[in-house]
Amino acid sequence: MKARLPTLLCLAAVCGAVLSPVSQAQAGVFDDEEARRAIITLREQFNGFQATASQRIEQGSRTQLDMQNQLEGLRQEVARLRGQNEVLQNEVATLQRQQKDYYADLDARLKKFEPQQVTVEGQEGLAQPSEKPDYDAALKQFQAGDFKGAGGAFQNFIRKYPQSPYLPLAQYWLGNSLYAQRDYKGSITVLQNMVQAYPTHAKVPDAMIAIANNQLESNQKVAARKTLEQVVAKYPGTEGAQAASNRLKTLK
């Protein structure tokens, strides 16, 4: 037994020497495998992270592109609204101008039918737009020698415009129209009414001379002289007074 013990120890040592490199090799193999697995795991994690990052970047790019598109759309909408606003402002300005022109034209048209302040032979008053044309038409007939037509026109004028500033003149020329038709009584009445109603009118001296002429034609010389003397006394220095004075000199 003692002889075999060394032998056994030698065998054990040999076996240990043989088995030891194998175990170490196996341990190295196991370490490399785990490292490879760890690398693969890290690589997979990295690839997953990279894919996730790419997706997020792509999603962010799409979001940014959408926002840019929306912003561009808003800009176009703002530009469109500004254009519409400018068009509306122009339309409003045009309508306001047209309305202003319309009312100005309407006012001008209405004024043609409204009484206007006028001055006739120093007398102020309101006259209807048709008064002067009617007066001028009647006077034109008188000047043309149509005394009957002129008399009718002046009578119509007096009835139509009883408050007219042309009324004293219309009465004066009516009196002369009647005188031309030898209606001396009618002429005196019209002229006397004119003198009494408008004693300060510029035509009063002429109207009184016309009354004197009617009186002379009616063989009322005393009355005619008295009328002419009144003209000279009341209106000294006027053409009417001079004409009356000259007329008095011809009376016997």
Side-chain angles (χ1 to χ4, degrees):
M1 289 296 292
K2 291 180 180 180
R4 295 180 58 186
L5 182 59
T7 303
L8 292 172
L9 292 171
C10 290
L11 288 171
V14 171
C15 290
V18 172
L19 291 173
S20 179
V22 173
S23 298
Q24 291 175 353
Q26 289 178 344
V29 171
F30 291 148
D31 291 341
D32 290 342
E33 184 67 25
E34 289 178 359
R36 281 195 296 272
R37 289 178 180 176
I39 291 171
I40 292 172
T41 300
L42 290 173
R43 185 177 296 168
E44 289 177 349
Q45 290 177 352
F46 176 77
N47 290 337
F49 173 77
Q50 188 176 20
T52 302
S54 297
Q55 290 176 355
R56 289 181 178 178
I57 292 172
E58 184 178 356
Q59 184 177 3
S61 298
R62 287 198 300 269
T63 302
Q64 185 179 8
L65 181 61
D66 291 341
M67 291 180 67
Q68 288 178 345
N69 290 335
Q70 291 177 4
L71 181 59
E72 182 62 26
L74 289 174
R75 287 175 179 172
Q76 293 178 357
E77 181 66 14
V78 169
R80 185 181 67 81
L81 291 175
R82 284 178 178 173
Q84 287 183 348
N85 184 56
E86 185 175 353
V87 171
L88 290 175
Q89 286 180 343
N90 291 334
E91 289 179 351
V92 169
T94 300
L95 289 174
Q96 289 177 338
R97 185 172 59 256
Q98 290 176 346
Q99 187 179 38
K100 183 178 179 181
D101 294 341
Y102 170 78
Y103 282 113
D105 180 68
L106 180 62
D107 186 60
R109 290 174 180 270
L110 290 176
K111 283 184 178 179
K112 293 181 179 180
F113 299 97
E114 294 177 354
Q116 302 294 320
Q117 188 74 22
V118 297
T119 301
V120 182
E121 295 287 339
Q123 300 293 316
E124 293 185 356
L126 291 175
Q128 298 290 338
S130 58
E131 288 183 28
K132 190 174 188 308
D134 288 353
Y135 171 80
D136 290 342
L139 183 60
K140 188 175 181 179
Q141 285 182 287
F142 180 87
Q143 292 170 340
D146 182 7
F147 302 119
K148 183 176 182 179
F154 282 120
Q155 285 177 336
N156 290 334
F157 184 94
I158 292 168
R159 284 194 295 267
K160 189 176 181 180
Y161 309 110
Q163 304 299 324
S164 173
Y166 292 94
L167 189 61
L169 290 176
Q171 291 176 324
Y172 172 78
W173 290 112
L174 173 59
N176 280 276
S177 297
L178 294 173
Y179 173 81
Q181 297 177 72
R182 297 183 179 181
D183 183 358
Y184 306 124
K185 183 178 180 180
S187 178
I188 290 173
T189 299
V190 171
L191 293 169
Q192 284 180 339
N193 289 337
M194 180 263 186
V195 170
Q196 291 173 1
Y198 307 97
T200 62
H201 196 275
K203 278 291 185 182
V204 167
D206 294 335
M208 293 181 69
I209 292 173
I211 291 172
N213 290 333
N214 278 287
Q215 292 170 335
L216 289 171
E217 295 293 340
S218 303
N219 294 320
Q220 302 177 41
K221 291 183 179 181
V222 175
R225 179 180 292 276
K226 183 178 179 180
T227 300
L228 292 172
E229 288 174 347
Q230 288 177 345
V231 175
V232 174
K234 288 184 177 181
Y235 308 99
T238 64
E239 293 182 0
Q242 184 61 47
S245 179
N246 294 335
R247 186 64 170 153
L248 282 170
K249 293 177 182 179
T250 63
L251 295 180
K252 295 182 180 181

